[in-house]
Amino acid sequence: MSRGRHASPGKEASGEPGASLREFARRARVVTSLVWAASPLCAVLMVVLAFSGGSIPTLTAWLQREVLDDLMSRGPATGAHASAAPLALHHGAVGHVILLAGILGGVGVVSAITQYVQTFVQSDLQRGLSLLIRDRMFQAMNSFVGPPSSCIAV
């Protein structure tokens, strides 16, 4: 393909050059303002769901490590049952492991629910955007002034 006289290297002269950082920022502003105008609640929920979707695997891995570390750091048991269970958990460690396992289960439930909530929020946002864009399009079309009624031939 030939390049135009003013085309920079790496950009096609086909009318769709690679977007610069300034153009990307402008488009991101337009999209963000459209999403916010369509549904502020959905916009906030999408940010929260994106953050939770990215942090849940890390939180799950950390909790699993903590549970396994607590289980593996058992010391020798003392008391009446020392011979039956030489590597039993200490009384305080049992509560901590149960707490961590409960939190881990809660994180798993949140992880499962997050996908369904995200699907719902995306569809609601898509519906809101569709209505907003159609409304703005019809407002723009209706803002055109037609010919005066005396010019219309009957």
Side-chain angles (χ1 to χ4, degrees), residues 11-18 27:
K11 291 187 178 182
E12 299 287 331
S14 63
E16 295 214 18
R27 290 177 184 178

Side-chain angles (χ1 to χ4, degrees), residues 92-110:
V94 173
H96 189 248
V97 169
I98 291 173
L99 175 67
L100 288 174
I103 294 172
L104 188 58
V107 168
V109 169
V110 169

Side-chain angles (χ1 to χ4, degrees), residues 11-38:
K11 291 187 178 182
E12 299 287 331
S14 63
E16 295 214 18
S20 67
L21 187 59
R22 180 178 291 142
E23 182 65 18
F24 177 76
R26 185 190 69 79
R27 290 177 184 178
R29 243 187 343 266
V30 169
V31 169
T32 304
S33 66
L34 271 175
V35 167
W36 187 260

Side-chain angles (χ1 to χ4, degrees), residues 14-79:
S14 63
E16 295 214 18
S20 67
L21 187 59
R22 180 178 291 142
E23 182 65 18
F24 177 76
R26 185 190 69 79
R27 290 177 184 178
R29 243 187 343 266
V30 169
V31 169
T32 304
S33 66
L34 271 175
V35 167
W36 187 260
S39 177
L41 178 63
C42 286
V44 170
L45 282 174
M46 289 298 290
V47 170
V48 168
L49 290 169
F51 176 75
S52 70
S55 62
I56 283 176
T58 305
L59 182 61
T60 301
W62 180 78
L63 286 169
Q64 287 175 348
R65 187 199 64 168
E66 288 296 315
V67 167
L68 291 175
D69 283 350
D70 280 353
L71 289 175
M72 295 307 292
S73 67
R74 301 181 284 189
T78 58

